[in-house]
Amino acid sequence: MASIDLSTHPLTAWNGPLGLPEFDRIEESAFAPVFEAAFAAHEAEIAAIADSGEAPTIENTLAALELSGNPLSRVSAIFWCRAGAHTNEVIQKLEREISPRMARHYSRLFMNEALFRRIDTLYGARTTLGLDKETARVLEKTWKRFVRGGAKLDAEGKARLAKINEELAELGARFGQNVLADESKWALFLEETDLAGLPSSLRSAMAEAAQSRGQPGRYAVTLSRSIAEPFLSFSSRRDLREAVLEAFTRRGANDGEANNAGIVQKTLKLRAEKARLLGYENYAAYKLDDTMAKTPDAVMRLLEPVWEKAREKAAADEKELQRLAAAEGYNHPIAAWDWRYYAEKLRAERFAFDEGALEPYLALENVIAAAFDVAHRLFGLTFEEQKSVPAWHEDVRVFTLKNRDGSERGVFLADYFNRPSKRSGAWMSGLQSGYKLGRGENPIIYNIMNFAKPPKGKPALLSVDDARTLFHEFGHALHGLLSDVTWPSIAGTSVARDFVELPSQLFEHWFSTPQVLSKHARHVETGEPIPAELLEKMRAARNFNAGFATVEFTASALVDMAYHERPDAPEDPLAFEAEVLEKLAKPAAVPMRHATPHFLHVFSGESYSAGYYSYLWSEVLDADAFRAFEEAGDPFDQGTAEKLRRYIYSAGGSADPEELYKAFRGR
């Protein structure tokens, strides 16, 4: 096999437009050999740092470690983007191989005794080194990362922890692939006579979904939320709603190879063992030790009162839904596939408001323009689309952005539409972070969505939830794009898990401000602004059905915590989930937002494990943060926006989250 030149290979030497990879030159068969070459190169760099005969310094140890592994970072960034956003059998097979290989590589790094001695020496002398606050923070976080990675374990413990990490990585890859398999292969094909109650925009999206699946002239319900949830809200066919919800909730739980029950059990068992090895009572204690919440008790003090209030509200709403159903001659208890349908009727009754009436005013292009406009008015950023720049799929759009003074800030890529090769949900990630160490790098950040793709030549119309999702993920993107730190490991979204959702959830608030909607919510055909009356109805109905939404979310967060507060793993996780929900007295008509077999946040990796609560934790912060603008009397107050940029969006993990928040808010 020919040797790989990492300095020239398109997976590691990015010579495309705007500093991007040359996606049109990337061959899938090249990933495996380039990964192996990149692993070897990184191992050589680590050995040089660890075995240096010089006394450890910030420059020759901490900075050298931070800047090492650039080729591995680059091939990894492209590969994991493809694995989530545009996968296939070749990529999936490699993902199952690379995930444990990557875990093994980083276990070796964190368990390297000579390297840890150098880090430990610096950490022990940290008060005498005259470090600036950011460097001191990076040194502390690096030392803790080594300890949590097993650096202080004995040889037997290190070997076992490394094996656990490998197995967990492989299980996480398989879990996500199983969910995608269930999502991509299922579709319910319908005829014109089956579409009673559906708005025209949903019909168009379903027609396009059927066309793309080789069924022209028909209509397809898929398991993309952008189609499934509107169908559950508007279809008057109860039998079809039941079929769709059944398929949606059984992702990862169907018979066959894609069943995730065994993976969940093994994952929980390994996580519990990992926590014990590292000296923690349970996995939740291990994960929360490095967050704002700190302990499982703090999380439960947040979740339990919210749960009780939400359950009470949902129970009251359910009585109202039952009343509406009875008026139609339906006298059975409201089922899970009935809730959204009758909730829409209740919304219309209470507020004379049909959410579908908003869609002509929420064309995707308008919502994108609105998000860019908010970023410009708050932070002075200007976005310009660059046509014909290749990316991982033809649907991906590429934008350059500049600062207020015209200097280059970075690159933003957006992949908006659902397809069978894309994992469900919406997320932000980056091809590279923005930092200043060494030669520094500008950020290259991307957003992934799963909006229903319209027929060719037709505009994509978004629901209110879709529009908020776009704003949410763009808030994450800004957190990456505005990164203004020296050290790579604390750049952008490299913050505590229960702080990372603050910039995203906060950005959602600007979507519904009068200044934004009056300018950008314009009718897709006439260009007329959204009528004031409709706007007022939308605001009045904003918190409608909050009991349902909070129950479905909080049930998932409580189950996540219940799994990980145990000192061991349940033998039957699905039976355990049912027991937890029974003790909580969860309303039968409100499904969990993420049932265990398809709980990607928690089981396709460790990022949100024992951490799904973080959305609710950040919600407390984001409400208070936006109140700062309300107190200033202007949602675009420049003094408040500058503090928001400096201490929240640009600061990354350069300081403790509480310190950053207090610097912004004053309390």
Side-chain angles (χ1 to χ4, degrees):
M1 180 183 294
S3 62
I4 302 292
D5 185 350
L6 296 174
S7 67
T8 60
H9 197 281
L11 281 170
T12 51
W14 295 357
N15 298 314
L18 313 176
L20 292 170
E22 295 172 278
F23 284 100
D24 51 357
R25 289 187 59 207
I26 291 172
E27 298 177 359
E28 292 167 357
S29 61
F31 276 114
V34 171
F35 261 115
E36 287 307 315
F39 281 132
H42 193 204
E43 287 166 2
E45 289 178 289
I46 295 304
I49 298 168
D51 300 336
S52 170
E54 299 179 355
T57 65
I58 293 298
E59 290 73 23
N60 70 20
T61 301
L62 189 64
L65 178 61
E66 289 267 324
L67 293 173
S68 69
N70 183 263
L72 182 57
S73 296
R74 291 200 160 200
V75 64
S76 296
I78 299 172
F79 180 76
W80 296 117
C81 175
R82 281 290 311 272
H86 191 40
T87 192
N88 55 37
E89 290 185 3
V90 174
I91 294 293
Q92 290 184 332
K93 181 178 183 296
L94 187 56
E95 183 183 7
R96 295 191 295 271
E97 297 168 356
I98 288 295
S99 295
R101 177 72 174 85
M102 187 77 74
R104 184 163 65 252
H105 175 77
Y106 282 101
S107 288
R108 287 175 180 167
L109 189 158
F110 290 122
M111 296 175 189
N112 184 310
E113 293 182 9
L115 181 59
F116 180 60
R117 277 197 301 271
R118 297 178 71 83
I119 295 294
D120 195 40
T121 298
L122 291 172
Y123 184 68
R126 62 192 181 280
T127 59
T128 67
L129 298 176
L131 305 179
D132 62 82
K133 287 183 65 175
E134 184 179 324
T135 302
R137 171 82 171 167
V138 171
L139 177 57
E140 178 185 15
K141 287 176 71 68
T142 302
W143 183 86
K144 287 182 177 179
R145 192 154 53 242
F146 271 79
V147 173
R148 289 168 64 84
K152 288 192 170 186
L153 296 177
D154 60 21
E156 183 180 353
K158 286 178 178 177
R160 181 57 191 152
L161 181 59
K163 183 63 175 174
I164 288 172
N165 287 337
E166 281 188 57
E167 292 184 37
L168 285 173
E170 181 185 7
L171 290 168
R174 287 171 53 200
F175 185 96
Q177 290 181 8
N178 287 347
V179 175
L180 179 58
D182 278 355
E183 289 173 346
S184 60
K185 72 183 181 183
W186 191 92
L188 178 64
F189 293 99
L190 303 177
E191 309 298 337
E192 183 80 34
T193 54
D194 300 318
L195 308 183
L198 303 185
S200 60
S201 59
L202 179 56
R203 294 183 183 211
S204 295
M206 289 168 58
E208 175 62 23
Q211 172 81 27
S212 68
R213 286 163 174 76
Q215 297 275 356
R218 303 185 75 191
Y219 302 84
V221 185
T222 70
L223 296 184
S224 167
R225 283 190 185 272
S226 58
I227 288 182
E229 288 188 352
F231 186 86
L232 292 169
S233 298
F234 295 108
S235 174
S236 60
R237 286 282 301 277
R238 188 169 189 263
D239 58 331
L240 299 180
R241 297 200 308 268
E242 181 178 5
V244 170
L245 188 64
E246 171 72 8
F248 193 83
T249 56
R250 286 196 61 79
R251 291 171 297 153
N254 295 295
D255 294 337
E257 294 182 356
N259 188 290
N260 274 330
I263 290 177
V264 170
Q265 202 280 332
K266 291 177 184 177
T267 297
L268 293 172
K269 184 177 180 180
L270 290 169
R271 286 176 177 173
E273 184 183 357
K274 177 177 180 175
R276 289 194 301 271
L277 268 174
L278 292 169
Y280 292 89
E281 181 181 358
N282 53 52
Y283 183 80
Y286 159 73
K287 279 302 295 288
L288 293 169
D289 188 39
D290 195 32
T291 63
M292 292 185 76
K294 305 299 183 189
T295 67
D297 285 345
V299 173
M300 297 308 291
R301 286 197 299 272
L302 170 72
L303 293 179
E304 287 173 343
V306 170
W307 172 255
E308 292 305 321
K309 293 292 186 184
R311 197 165 59 86
E312 291 172 10
K313 182 67 171 67
D317 286 346
E318 187 172 358
K319 291 179 180 178
E320 290 293 282
L321 303 186
Q322 192 71 63
R323 173 182 61 80
L324 291 174
E328 294 184 354
Y330 175 68
N331 296 312
H332 299 292
I334 291 291
W337 50 89
D338 296 319
W339 191 293
R340 291 179 184 275
Y341 178 71
Y342 286 106
E344 282 303 314
K345 292 181 177 295
L346 184 60
R347 189 203 308 265
E349 178 182 273
R350 287 185 179 175
F351 303 101
F353 172 57
D354 171 10
E355 189 169 308
L358 280 173
E359 289 191 358
Y361 297 94
L362 297 179
L364 173 61
E365 295 305 313
N366 293 355
V367 179
I368 294 169
F372 288 174
D373 187 31
V374 172
H376 178 71
R377 296 173 73 173
L378 286 174
F379 307 126
L381 299 177
T382 302
F383 290 79
E384 182 177 344
E385 186 162 11
Q386 306 298 315
K387 301 287 188 178
S388 303
V389 175
W392 55 88
H393 188 273
E394 61 184 8
D395 284 345
V396 180
R397 298 169 65 174
V398 180
F399 302 86
T400 52
L401 66 152
K402 294 182 178 180
N403 294 308
R404 199 185 305 272
D405 63 4
S407 59
E408 293 184 0
R409 176 84 234 162
V411 179
F412 172 62
L413 300 96
D415 188 352
Y416 291 114
F417 297 123
N418 174 257
R419 54 180 171 267
S421 64
K422 183 189 287 187
R423 175 165 60 84
S424 65
W427 66 95
M428 163 268 181
S429 192
L431 295 177
Q432 68 185 31
S433 300
Y435 61 87
K436 302 171 188 171
L437 190 67
R439 290 181 295 178
E441 287 186 341
N442 283 341
I444 301 175
I445 303 299
Y446 61 85
N447 274 171
I448 307 292
M449 311 289 174
N450 268 284
F451 302 141
K453 191 171 185 176
K456 189 173 183 179
K458 297 286 186 180
L461 303 181
L462 305 186
S463 67
V464 173
D465 282 347
D466 286 341
R468 289 200 177 108
T469 295
L470 188 149
F471 265 65
H472 179 101
E473 297 305 334
F474 189 66
H476 278 309
L478 288 175
H479 199 185
L481 291 166
L482 287 169
S483 179
D484 189 17
V485 299
T486 297
W487 295 85
S489 64
I490 57 167
T493 58
S494 298
V495 299
R497 179 57 57 192
D498 47 12
F499 193 69
V500 77
E501 296 298 334
L502 170 61
S504 55
Q505 292 181 183
L506 174 58
F507 199 75
E508 291 181 50
H509 286 266
W510 277 277
F511 164 71
S512 55
T513 60
Q515 294 91 330
V516 171
L517 286 174
S518 61
K519 179 178 180 180
H520 296 285
R522 294 183 171 270
H523 197 282
V524 70
E525 294 178 356
T526 67
E528 291 296 312
I530 187 171
E533 181 183 8
L534 184 57
L535 198 56
E536 186 55 40
K537 288 178 179 178
M538 186 194 86
R539 291 202 189 96
R542 174 163 188 179
N543 293 323
F544 174 75
N545 209 26
F548 173 91
T550 309
V551 164
E552 67 166 3
F553 168 83
T554 312
S556 298
L558 287 165
V559 167
D560 172 33
M561 290 302 299
Y563 278 138
H564 294 110
E565 278 191 291
R566 291 176 56 114
D568 57 3
E571 286 301 317
D572 185 342
L574 300 189
F576 178 74
E577 176 192 86
E579 291 170 11
V580 172
L581 296 178
E582 184 177 2
K583 289 178 182 177
L584 290 170
K586 183 187 74 68
V590 184
M592 293 171 65
R593 185 161 184 82
H594 303 288
T596 294
H598 58 258
F599 205 163
L600 291 165
H601 283 78
V602 170
F603 292 109
S604 67
E606 295 192 76
S607 293
Y608 281 87
S609 53
Y612 192 63
Y613 76 90
S614 59
Y615 290 93
L616 192 57
W617 187 277
S618 293
E619 191 172 323
V620 177
L621 295 177
D622 76 66
D624 181 67
F626 191 72
R627 200 169 296 124
F629 288 89
E630 294 174 331
E631 291 167 1
D634 180 1
F636 297 99
D637 177 73
Q638 286 301 292
T640 309
E642 177 53 35
K643 287 197 296 182
L644 180 65
R645 174 177 180 146
R646 180 178 178 183
Y647 296 116
I648 304 297
Y649 282 92
S650 297
S654 60
D656 183 271
E658 287 193 21
E659 180 183 333
L660 291 172
Y661 191 79
K662 288 177 182 177
F664 161 63
R665 194 67 171 98
R667 63 173 189 248

